Amino acid sequence: MSSTLKLSQRETAFNHEVVARFELYNSLFQTLPFYQVKDTGILLPFFSSHCEKGAINEQSPKEIIESFFKKYVPDIDHREQINRLFRFIQYIERQVVLFDAIEDSSFSKIGRPDDSGSLQSLLQQAATSDQARNAISEKLKDFSLRLVLTAHPTQFYPGTVLGIMTDMIEALKINDINTIDELLQQLGKTPFFNKTSPTPVDEAVSLVWFLENIFYQAISGIQSKLEEEFDINLADNHQILELGFWPGGDRDGNPNVTTDTTKAVAKFLRQIVFRCYYRDFRVLKRRITFRGFGKTLETIEKLLYKNAFNPQEKQEDVQKDLLILLQSVRHTLIKDHDSLFVNVVEDLIRKVNLFGCFFATLDIRQDSRVLRSVYEYIEQQDGIKESIYAGYNDLDEEGKIKHITFKEADFNCPDNVDSLTMDTLNTIRLMKNIQHANGEKACQRFIISNCQQASDILQLIDLFLWSGWKKENLSVDFMPLFETINDLKLAATIMERLYTHPFYKEHLANRGNRQSIMLGFSDGTKDGGYLMANWSIYNAKVELTAMARKYGIDLAFFDGRGGPPARGGGKTHRFYASMGDEIANEHIQLTIQGQTVSSQYGSIETARFNMEQLINAGIVSELYPNKNDLLSKNHKALIADMASESYKMFMDLKQDPLFVEYLEKFSPLKLLSRINISSRPTKRNADAQLKLEDLRAISFVTSWSQLKQNIPGFYGVGTALKKMKNDGKWEEVKQLYQTSGFFKTMLDNCMMSMSKSDFRVTAYLQKDKKFGAFWQMLKDEYDLTKAMLIELTGSNALMDEYPVERRSIGIRERIVLPLVIVQHYALQCLNNEKSDEEMTEIYDKLVIRTVYGIVNAGRNLA
């Protein structure tokens, strides 16, 4: 079947299954229980249409809102107008949920694009010959996929709403109108946001919902299929599917995380996984009702129940004990009962093997500057300072590396030190306790953010050895995080210093000669723009891979990816499928965060599909590499030239004196910290005046997406492409786009980012005396980039190659356009009017409330 015919069939299915059903069920919104204003549901379609016409005519948000009320509700005062806008927001938020649920319920019917690559396609390849099956089996023994959930403040759906969505998806699959109507009414009465900011533990609890309700079943389902089809033995030390968890361990991302937080989250993860086991055991117990098991089942039940519902203060890793008991049950079933229900027992054995007593590995992360400060403190203390080289702090990097002694000590942190020092040292000790209670995998990774030199890693090892850890039992993986453009350039040099350092070399040998390195997309984009960030990370991966292979190191890249392309998101699996032989790809590790968690992993079906895509990408790129994925010297020079041109333009933009002020004035940036979805600040140095370097990448990208301009996702790309055309290299660029998976994916994701932009909303700014020229500069680059990309791809519109995805984005953008207009109306009122304190607060709330729906509709906007 041709790809064109498949696309046509997908479009037809999408129109029937999603668009038509959304229009049908959307009519139910007129009966949603918002009683304060009875005609809100009736007025909403008129409001949406009015906003669309106003945007087309490039009216200002203020003109659009005021003309709407003048035309449709002329007899109400300004405060009642604001009240109506809040009611509209309530409806639209829930329209987004309905569209999400309908799209997810239609997932299997819409079909998948040709490049999707799932477990099924691997099975089809394996079926072609025994040789193919054996080759895939061998690669799976070396391959691993680790998904790491992070507590970034853009997961807007609380657990209550996620539960309703899950039920609604099931009802929609069979078009159960009565149940759907009831769920929509429940949705109408269910709050979408918190009245107070959550604590870091609250955030962990929220994300554990996905572990318990989605990943527990999805991962074991994939593992079962792999065991069934290939020669995979879960009892081996190698694990294909792994989960990581940052809430409660990530200090750099959230300064409110403490040692007590980490301890509480580790206990909670353990308790929830045992509750999952206990639920499964109840099913098992209902099936195994025959003689021959003695007290084994009773022992298992007591063990599970105690850990699930009555956890003790002092806990131990009981994974092995539990597996021995379950294996005993399995053996008896096979020996005495014709293997009846043995699959039920094997399913629980598989899950205990996968999740142990920890569910997901709790990563610890802290900034190198904090760790250096802690090191300077502790090296002055009695029992430690005697082993420190005199004048150590004045040495250069080479001198420090030479004189670190790695002496063991048992320094206990006193209570009178600063909070960061105390937290760091107490957490290092806590990691050992967590490993004892939940197993080594429970907490075995320490990530150093802003890692700039080899001594950052080596000094951290010293901190561990000074805190009671022993060299021979240092069961911790130390992981540098390289983020900025400059740090990425130096990464390979830093790693070579570590690989050749005697102590670190021995430590790596004890850890199986496996090194994980984290690369951050978000800060790279904020630092150098879209093209330069992607190209710098690609180059860093090539150099780091070459260095690891030189020293016989099994390298795993851990990619810190956000939702949108500007933060490393988009069609992620296609990046991994196109890495080429120069880049280590045996282990795929990436963060999933924000709205991406619920949009891509919100149901067992979508979670399985997205994980299978990543597995397929890793295996296929290794077994059947595309020669075009190995970029030639000329192609590298071409991309480097474009990245350099784009970088210059992006740096000029950042240095514009209006840059930060424009973002502060016309986006919700200043108000993001008041959205009660996160316990973390929107910027570092929270009490200081806003500086671009202190602004967190997620706030930076979210603000541009709320502006509907998505600058970090495209700015400079058009100028770079135009330079190539002017330099006579256009045909080379076209050929590169058609043949290189990396380059094509990078530009396709750029087009996705641009498809979620709408400069009509802010078109009124072109007449602004102060910001008019600045706005026009942004719009000109958008127009140029759009024109160049359309010419390059030979299409008629952005994302022409992906009509279903383009249609989905278009509908979502149309649903939330009124929210965007309302947000910018409120910002206009705040900027242009001298409102009293009460009205200022109301406008602020109006802005804040619109953020939720806009991000939710975008699914990967933040």
Side-chain angles (χ1 to χ4, degrees), residues 67-142:
S67 61
F68 169 78
F69 284 117
K70 186 176 181 181
K71 180 177 181 179
Y72 291 99
V73 199
D75 55 343
I76 59 174
D77 61 18
H78 182 61
R79 286 178 181 270
E80 180 57 26
Q81 290 176 357
I82 298 294
N83 187 39
R84 300 290 177 105
L85 294 179
F86 276 113
R87 303 286 80 75
F88 286 147
I89 292 169
Q90 284 181 296
Y91 270 78
I92 295 167
E93 284 173 338
R94 287 150 179 83
Q95 279 183 313
V96 172
V97 173
L98 176 61
F99 191 82
D100 279 354
I102 290 174
E103 201 166 46
D104 288 348
S105 72
S106 308
F107 185 76
S108 61
K109 297 179 182 178
I110 294 173
R112 285 115 188 217
D114 284 340
D115 70 340
S116 61
S118 66
L119 196 55
Q120 188 59 38
S121 61
L122 264 188
L123 297 178
Q124 289 170 355
Q125 291 173 46
T128 59
S129 68
D130 289 341
Q131 184 179 0
R133 181 177 297 278
N134 292 336
I136 294 172
S137 294
E138 285 304 308
K139 279 299 172 187
L140 284 168
K141 290 177 182 177
D142 297 327

XYZ file of all heavy atoms in Angstrom, residues 67-142:
623
model
N -15.768 44.412 21.740
C -16.772 44.372 20.676
C -17.694 43.166 20.828
O -18.879 43.229 20.465
C -16.098 44.361 19.295
O -15.279 43.209 19.139
N -17.182 42.074 21.383
C -18.036 40.907 21.605
C -19.138 41.241 22.599
O -20.327 40.964 22.347
C -17.220 39.724 22.124
C -18.080 38.586 22.618
C -18.681 37.725 21.723
C -18.318 38.406 23.982
C -19.502 36.686 22.170
C -19.131 37.381 24.429
C -19.723 36.516 23.521
N -18.758 41.796 23.737
C -19.774 42.098 24.749
C -20.742 43.173 24.273
O -21.933 43.118 24.584
C -19.095 42.513 26.058
C -18.519 41.349 26.821
C -17.152 41.254 27.064
C -19.339 40.328 27.282
C -16.625 40.175 27.754
C -18.813 39.250 27.979
C -17.458 39.169 28.214
N -20.238 44.103 23.504
C -21.114 45.160 22.966
C -22.159 44.578 22.032
O -23.324 45.002 22.014
C -20.269 46.202 22.228
C -21.064 47.414 21.746
C -20.139 48.441 21.118
C -20.940 49.655 20.669
N -20.061 50.682 20.033
N -21.761 43.538 21.270
C -22.665 42.943 20.282
C -23.617 41.921 20.906
O -24.816 41.912 20.591
C -21.850 42.272 19.173
C -22.697 41.625 18.089
C -21.821 41.045 16.978
C -22.681 40.415 15.889
N -21.835 39.851 14.781
N -23.094 41.058 21.810
C -23.884 39.923 22.287
C -24.471 40.104 23.685
O -25.530 39.557 23.982
C -23.038 38.650 22.260
C -22.715 38.180 20.868
C -21.493 38.468 20.278
C -23.639 37.459 20.121
C -21.189 38.046 18.996
C -23.351 37.027 18.830
C -22.121 37.328 18.271
O -21.833 36.912 16.998
N -23.771 40.820 24.568
C -24.279 41.018 25.940
C -24.057 42.487 26.317
O -23.200 42.803 27.150
C -23.560 40.084 26.942
C -24.385 39.956 28.222
C -23.291 38.706 26.370
N -24.818 43.397 25.719
C -24.523 44.831 25.892
C -24.947 45.411 27.247
O -24.532 46.500 27.612
C -25.344 45.467 24.761
C -26.466 44.513 24.527
C -25.924 43.149 24.799
N -25.743 44.674 27.995
C -26.334 45.273 29.198
C -25.647 44.848 30.497
O -26.240 44.888 31.565
C -27.823 44.899 29.270
C -28.036 43.395 29.224
O -27.086 42.684 28.823
O -29.134 42.919 29.586
N -24.370 44.421 30.432
C -23.669 44.037 31.665
C -22.456 44.941 31.870
O -21.884 45.455 30.901
C -23.226 42.558 31.637
C -22.291 42.278 30.452
C -24.435 41.628 31.588
C -21.712 40.867 30.448
N -22.073 45.134 33.131
C -20.941 46.010 33.417
C -19.620 45.245 33.270
O -19.594 44.040 33.000
C -21.061 46.632 34.810
C -21.072 45.586 35.929
O -20.651 44.427 35.681
O -21.499 45.909 37.046
N -18.511 45.971 33.494
C -17.188 45.405 33.243
C -16.905 44.200 34.143
O -16.347 43.188 33.691
C -16.122 46.481 33.455
C -14.727 46.006 33.170
N -14.340 45.552 31.937
C -13.628 45.886 33.973
C -13.069 45.194 31.971
N -12.611 45.395 33.197
N -17.293 44.263 35.404
C -17.025 43.156 36.314
C -17.784 41.898 35.895
O -17.263 40.785 36.009
C -17.376 43.543 37.751
C -16.370 44.507 38.366
C -16.770 44.914 39.775
N -15.799 45.856 40.327
C -14.718 45.505 41.016
N -14.465 44.249 41.229
N -13.903 46.421 41.491
N -18.994 42.084 35.412
C -19.755 40.925 34.946
C -19.149 40.375 33.657
O -19.166 39.159 33.424
C -21.224 41.309 34.729
C -22.109 40.168 34.250
C -22.099 38.946 35.171
O -21.843 39.099 36.385
O -22.342 37.838 34.660
N -18.572 41.265 32.846
C -17.862 40.795 31.651
C -16.695 39.881 32.053
O -16.488 38.817 31.455
C -17.333 41.987 30.840
C -18.420 42.798 30.148
C -17.855 44.023 29.438
O -16.653 44.302 29.511
N -18.716 44.781 28.769
N -15.948 40.313 33.051
C -14.829 39.499 33.539
C -15.340 38.157 34.057
O -14.738 37.105 33.813
C -14.062 40.243 34.662
C -13.464 41.551 34.138
C -12.978 39.342 35.245
C -12.384 41.369 33.105
N -16.464 38.174 34.754
C -17.064 36.948 35.279
C -17.391 35.988 34.135
O -17.149 34.779 34.229
C -18.329 37.288 36.065
C -18.899 36.067 36.777
O -18.159 35.244 37.295
N -20.215 35.952 36.788
N -17.943 36.540 33.040
C -18.252 35.704 31.869
C -16.967 35.101 31.284
O -16.969 33.941 30.858
C -18.968 36.522 30.797
C -20.294 37.139 31.214
C -21.360 36.070 31.408
N -22.598 36.660 31.878
C -23.690 36.847 31.118
N -23.674 36.472 29.856
N -24.777 37.378 31.631
N -15.909 35.861 31.248
C -14.647 35.348 30.699
C -14.130 34.177 31.526
O -13.624 33.187 30.974
C -13.596 36.471 30.646
C -13.882 37.614 29.675
C -12.776 38.665 29.736
C -14.029 37.108 28.244
N -14.254 34.271 32.853
C -13.851 33.144 33.700
C -14.700 31.902 33.401
O -14.192 30.777 33.385
C -13.973 33.506 35.183
C -12.787 34.238 35.733
C -12.883 35.562 36.139
C -11.566 33.601 35.855
C -11.786 36.243 36.648
C -10.452 34.273 36.371
C -10.566 35.599 36.758
N -16.008 32.118 33.145
C -16.874 30.978 32.822
C -16.484 30.358 31.480
O -16.485 29.140 31.327
C -18.342 31.427 32.767
C -18.909 32.084 34.017
C -19.187 31.090 35.138
N -18.008 30.695 35.899
C -17.401 31.460 36.799
N -17.844 32.674 37.074
N -16.345 31.010 37.447
N -16.142 31.200 30.515
C -15.686 30.687 29.220
C -14.438 29.813 29.397
O -14.301 28.762 28.779
C -15.366 31.834 28.258
C -16.578 32.532 27.697
C -16.541 33.890 27.401
C -17.754 31.845 27.447
C -17.639 34.542 26.878
C -18.860 32.482 26.912
C -18.818 33.838 26.638
N -13.535 30.283 30.257
C -12.300 29.534 30.502
C -12.626 28.146 31.041
O -12.039 27.145 30.615
C -11.388 30.308 31.482
C -10.851 31.586 30.821
C -10.224 29.424 31.945
C -10.158 32.526 31.787
N -13.583 28.073 31.982
C -13.967 26.784 32.546
C -14.442 25.821 31.459
O -14.097 24.640 31.452
C -15.077 26.968 33.579
C -14.594 27.534 34.910
C -15.745 27.653 35.887
O -16.680 28.403 35.657
N -15.681 26.896 36.962
N -15.245 26.324 30.547
C -15.753 25.481 29.469
C -14.625 25.016 28.554
O -14.535 23.833 28.200
C -16.790 26.246 28.648
C -18.202 26.088 29.156
C -18.644 26.802 30.262
C -19.081 25.213 28.540
C -19.932 26.671 30.736
C -20.378 25.065 29.013
C -20.799 25.804 30.108
O -22.078 25.646 30.580
N -13.782 25.946 28.159
C -12.739 25.617 27.183
C -11.737 24.638 27.768
O -11.268 23.724 27.075
C -12.044 26.911 26.690
C -13.045 27.777 25.920
C -10.857 26.583 25.786
C -12.578 29.203 25.650
N -11.399 24.795 29.057
C -10.506 23.827 29.715
C -11.032 22.405 29.546
O -10.285 21.459 29.293
C -10.396 24.143 31.212
C -9.527 25.331 31.553
C -9.610 25.687 33.020
O -10.611 25.315 33.675
O -8.681 26.337 33.519
N -12.335 22.269 29.692
C -12.945 20.944 29.629
C -13.149 20.479 28.185
O -13.163 19.265 27.928
C -14.253 20.958 30.412
C -13.965 20.996 31.924
C -15.022 21.692 32.743
N -14.666 21.660 34.163
C -13.836 22.517 34.757
N -13.262 23.484 34.049
N -13.558 22.415 36.039
N -13.276 21.418 27.271
C -13.291 21.041 25.856
C -11.961 20.390 25.470
O -11.933 19.422 24.701
C -13.523 22.277 24.976
C -14.971 22.715 24.865
C -15.113 23.890 23.914
O -14.364 24.860 23.997
N -16.070 23.801 23.016
N -10.894 20.933 26.001
C -9.567 20.377 25.726
C -9.484 18.947 26.240
O -8.972 18.045 25.558
C -8.462 21.254 26.363
C -7.103 20.571 26.244
C -8.420 22.628 25.696
N -9.992 18.703 27.456
C -9.993 17.354 28.019
C -10.795 16.409 27.122
O -10.376 15.279 26.851
C -10.575 17.349 29.448
C -10.734 15.923 29.960
C -9.683 18.143 30.386
N -11.941 16.867 26.662
C -12.773 16.040 25.791
C -12.033 15.694 24.506
O -12.037 14.535 24.065
C -14.081 16.764 25.469
C -15.012 16.044 24.477
C -15.437 14.684 25.018
C -16.241 16.904 24.169
N -11.385 16.681 23.899
C -10.661 16.413 22.658
C -9.505 15.444 22.914
O -9.267 14.519 22.124
C -10.134 17.714 22.042
C -9.618 17.534 20.640
C -10.484 17.514 19.567
C -8.260 17.362 20.391
C -10.022 17.324 18.269
C -7.780 17.172 19.112
C -8.668 17.159 18.043
N -8.787 15.643 24.014
C -7.716 14.707 24.392
C -8.262 13.287 24.487
O -7.679 12.333 23.954
C -7.124 15.090 25.752
C -6.109 16.218 25.654
O -5.774 16.622 24.538
O -5.665 16.693 26.718
N -9.378 13.150 25.206
C -9.948 11.825 25.448
C -10.416 11.180 24.141
O -10.202 9.980 23.922
C -11.108 11.925 26.440
N -11.051 11.961 23.273
C -11.530 11.417 21.995
C -10.350 10.986 21.133
O -10.360 9.902 20.537
C -12.399 12.453 21.259
C -13.732 12.646 21.980
C -12.648 12.034 19.812
C -14.595 13.749 21.418
N -9.321 11.817 21.077
C -8.157 11.473 20.262
C -7.470 10.213 20.805
O -7.088 9.324 20.032
C -7.182 12.653 20.222
C -6.230 12.601 19.046
C -5.514 13.921 18.816
O -5.016 14.514 19.798
O -5.434 14.353 17.657
N -7.334 10.128 22.126
C -6.686 8.960 22.717
C -7.533 7.698 22.555
O -6.991 6.604 22.352
C -6.400 9.206 24.204
C -5.273 10.214 24.422
O -4.586 10.535 23.446
O -5.110 10.683 25.564
N -8.853 7.845 22.643
C -9.729 6.682 22.487
C -9.710 6.153 21.054
O -10.018 4.985 20.809
C -11.171 7.028 22.877
O -11.773 7.868 21.910
N -9.329 7.011 20.106
C -9.299 6.631 18.693
C -7.914 6.199 18.245
O -7.692 5.989 17.049
C -9.765 7.816 17.834
O -10.995 8.324 18.276
N -7.004 6.075 19.189
C -5.598 5.848 18.857
C -5.409 4.646 17.932
O -4.704 4.716 16.932
C -4.807 5.643 20.158
C -3.329 5.513 19.964
C -2.546 6.621 19.699
C -2.716 4.274 20.051
C -1.178 6.503 19.527
C -1.350 4.144 19.883
C -0.582 5.263 19.611
N -6.042 3.528 18.253
C -5.844 2.313 17.451
C -6.556 2.388 16.107
O -6.179 1.679 15.170
C -6.343 1.096 18.232
O -7.727 1.229 18.516
N -7.575 3.235 15.991
C -8.351 3.307 14.750
C -7.773 4.293 13.742
O -7.967 4.140 12.541
C -9.799 3.706 15.063
C -10.544 2.691 15.915
C -11.961 3.159 16.201
C -12.698 2.162 17.085
N -14.068 2.627 17.413
N -7.077 5.306 14.254
C -6.536 6.325 13.344
C -5.417 5.744 12.504
O -5.191 6.134 11.372
C -6.029 7.552 14.146
C -7.217 8.248 14.821
C -5.316 8.540 13.231
C -6.808 9.362 15.764
N -4.722 4.754 13.060
C -3.591 4.178 12.330
C -2.328 4.946 12.621
O -2.341 6.027 13.199
N -1.212 4.378 12.205
C 0.086 4.985 12.503
C 0.804 5.338 11.222
O 0.701 4.626 10.225
C 0.946 4.004 13.308
C 0.475 3.900 14.763
C -0.034 2.539 15.060
N -0.664 2.488 16.386
C -0.561 1.438 17.180
N 0.141 0.398 16.818
N -1.170 1.433 18.334
N 1.571 6.409 11.224
C 2.346 6.771 10.035
C 3.428 5.744 9.745
O 3.811 4.960 10.611
C 2.962 8.127 10.405
C 2.949 8.169 11.893
C 1.748 7.377 12.317
N 3.928 5.749 8.530
C 4.890 4.739 8.095
C 6.121 4.667 8.975
O 6.683 3.601 9.194
C 5.337 5.026 6.645
C 4.251 4.629 5.665
O 3.380 3.832 6.044
O 4.270 5.120 4.522
N 6.575 5.813 9.477
C 7.855 5.831 10.189
C 7.688 5.548 11.678
O 8.591 5.745 12.451
C 8.545 7.189 9.989
C 7.830 8.311 10.728
O 6.643 8.165 11.069
O 8.465 9.344 10.968
N 6.498 5.128 12.078
C 6.243 5.007 13.514
C 7.161 3.984 14.175
O 7.738 4.242 15.208
C 4.780 4.633 13.761
O 4.483 3.389 13.163
N 7.304 2.797 13.561
C 8.219 1.796 14.114
C 7.780 1.315 15.477
O 7.964 1.990 16.472
N 7.189 0.161 15.564
C 6.734 -0.356 16.851
C 7.300 -1.744 17.066
O 8.073 -2.254 16.265
C 5.199 -0.399 16.885
O 4.731 -1.350 15.941
N 6.893 -2.357 18.161
C 7.329 -3.713 18.445
C 6.830 -4.666 17.364
O 7.496 -5.628 16.999
C 6.805 -4.135 19.822
C 7.445 -5.359 20.469
C 8.946 -5.210 20.572
C 6.827 -5.597 21.841
N 5.654 -4.361 16.818
C 5.088 -5.208 15.777
C 5.989 -5.259 14.546
O 6.174 -6.320 13.947
C 3.694 -4.698 15.386
C 2.929 -5.622 14.445
C 2.720 -7.011 15.032
O 2.473 -7.156 16.229
N 2.839 -8.039 14.202
N 6.572 -4.120 14.183
C 7.461 -4.120 13.021
C 8.744 -4.910 13.308
O 9.307 -5.545 12.415
C 7.801 -2.686 12.594
O 8.463 -1.997 13.615
N 9.202 -4.897 14.568
C 10.348 -5.733 14.942
C 10.000 -7.212 14.800
O 10.800 -8.015 14.328
C 10.760 -5.455 16.386
C 11.894 -4.468 16.671
C 12.261 -4.502 18.144
C 13.113 -4.709 15.811
N 8.782 -7.558 15.229
C 8.339 -8.944 15.135
C 8.235 -9.391 13.678
O 8.557 -10.533 13.335
C 6.987 -9.112 15.834
C 6.955 -8.825 17.344
C 5.547 -8.993 17.893
C 7.924 -9.716 18.082
N 7.781 -8.472 12.840
C 7.675 -8.794 11.413
C 9.054 -9.047 10.809
O 9.235 -9.955 9.987
C 6.957 -7.665 10.682
C 5.470 -7.586 10.992
C 4.814 -6.318 10.460
O 5.490 -5.433 9.924
N 3.504 -6.227 10.599
N 10.038 -8.236 11.227
C 11.404 -8.455 10.743
C 11.949 -9.787 11.254
O 12.616 -10.522 10.532
C 12.309 -7.316 11.206
C 12.011 -5.981 10.532
C 12.824 -4.857 11.139
O 14.014 -4.997 11.355
N 12.186 -3.738 11.414
N 11.645 -10.093 12.519
C 12.126 -11.343 13.103
C 11.528 -12.555 12.396
O 12.156 -13.622 12.326
C 11.791 -11.386 14.593
N 10.317 -12.391 11.888
C 9.623 -13.506 11.235
C 10.216 -13.851 9.875
O 9.932 -14.921 9.330
C 8.141 -13.179 11.090
N 11.039 -12.977 9.333
C 11.581 -13.219 7.989
C 12.604 -14.352 7.972
O 12.726 -15.062 6.981
C 12.231 -11.942 7.420
O 13.289 -11.524 8.306
C 11.203 -10.830 7.283
N 13.341 -14.531 9.075
C 14.333 -15.614 9.121
C 14.839 -15.813 10.543
O 14.732 -14.909 11.387
C 15.530 -15.293 8.211
O 16.272 -14.204 8.743
N 15.385 -16.996 10.808
C 15.986 -17.254 12.123
C 17.174 -16.342 12.368
O 17.443 -15.928 13.505
C 16.450 -18.716 12.207
C 15.277 -19.680 12.297
O 14.174 -19.222 12.653
O 15.464 -20.873 11.991
N 17.871 -16.019 11.291
C 19.039 -15.139 11.414
C 18.617 -13.758 11.906
O 19.255 -13.164 12.784
C 19.745 -15.020 10.060
C 21.037 -14.206 10.114
C 21.721 -14.118 8.752
O 21.240 -14.657 7.765
N 22.849 -13.438 8.710
N 17.512 -13.238 11.338
C 17.008 -11.921 11.751
C 16.547 -11.956 13.206
O 16.822 -11.036 13.987
C 15.866 -11.482 10.836
N 15.849 -13.033 13.576
C 15.364 -13.153 14.955
C 16.537 -13.217 15.939
O 16.527 -12.566 16.979
C 14.491 -14.398 15.088
C 13.907 -14.598 16.490
C 12.999 -15.814 16.542
N 11.846 -15.642 15.657
C 10.744 -14.962 15.995
N 10.655 -14.399 17.192
N 9.752 -14.857 15.140
N 17.552 -13.991 15.596
C 18.718 -14.098 16.479
C 19.466 -12.780 16.599
O 19.955 -12.430 17.676
C 19.665 -15.189 15.958
C 19.071 -16.581 16.085
O 18.199 -16.815 16.921
N 19.525 -17.508 15.250
N 19.539 -12.048 15.487
C 20.231 -10.744 15.506
C 19.516 -9.767 16.425
O 20.147 -9.045 17.215
C 20.321 -10.187 14.095
N 18.186 -9.741 16.345
C 17.402 -8.843 17.210
C 17.543 -9.275 18.666
O 17.707 -8.432 19.564
C 15.928 -8.823 16.772
C 15.797 -8.194 15.376
C 15.079 -8.035 17.772
C 14.417 -8.302 14.768
N 17.506 -10.589 18.902
C 17.652 -11.102 20.278
C 18.985 -10.687 20.890
O 19.049 -10.270 22.049
C 17.543 -12.627 20.287
O 16.250 -13.051 19.907
N 20.039 -10.776 20.094
C 21.362 -10.407 20.591
C 21.435 -8.922 20.912
O 22.025 -8.514 21.914
C 22.433 -10.785 19.557
C 22.738 -12.267 19.497
C 23.166 -12.831 20.853
O 24.090 -12.256 21.468
O 22.563 -13.829 21.300
N 20.837 -8.089 20.052
C 20.861 -6.644 20.287
C 20.056 -6.279 21.527
O 20.422 -5.372 22.280
C 20.314 -5.895 19.063
C 21.336 -5.734 17.952
C 22.538 -4.926 18.448
C 23.659 -4.913 17.431
N 24.877 -4.287 17.971
N 18.953 -6.995 21.745
C 18.138 -6.714 22.922
C 18.886 -7.018 24.211
O 18.601 -6.431 25.252
C 16.839 -7.519 22.863
C 15.772 -6.990 21.892
C 14.660 -8.009 21.695
C 15.196 -5.667 22.384
N 19.864 -7.929 24.141
C 20.657 -8.254 25.334
C 21.601 -7.118 25.707
O 22.087 -7.049 26.839
C 21.444 -9.541 25.096
C 20.557 -10.783 25.034
C 21.356 -12.030 24.713
C 20.446 -13.248 24.596
N 21.188 -14.463 24.216
N 21.893 -6.230 24.741
C 22.768 -5.077 25.002
C 21.982 -3.783 25.165
O 22.496 -2.798 25.678
C 23.762 -4.896 23.843
C 24.697 -6.084 23.696
O 25.028 -6.690 24.726
O 25.073 -6.405 22.562
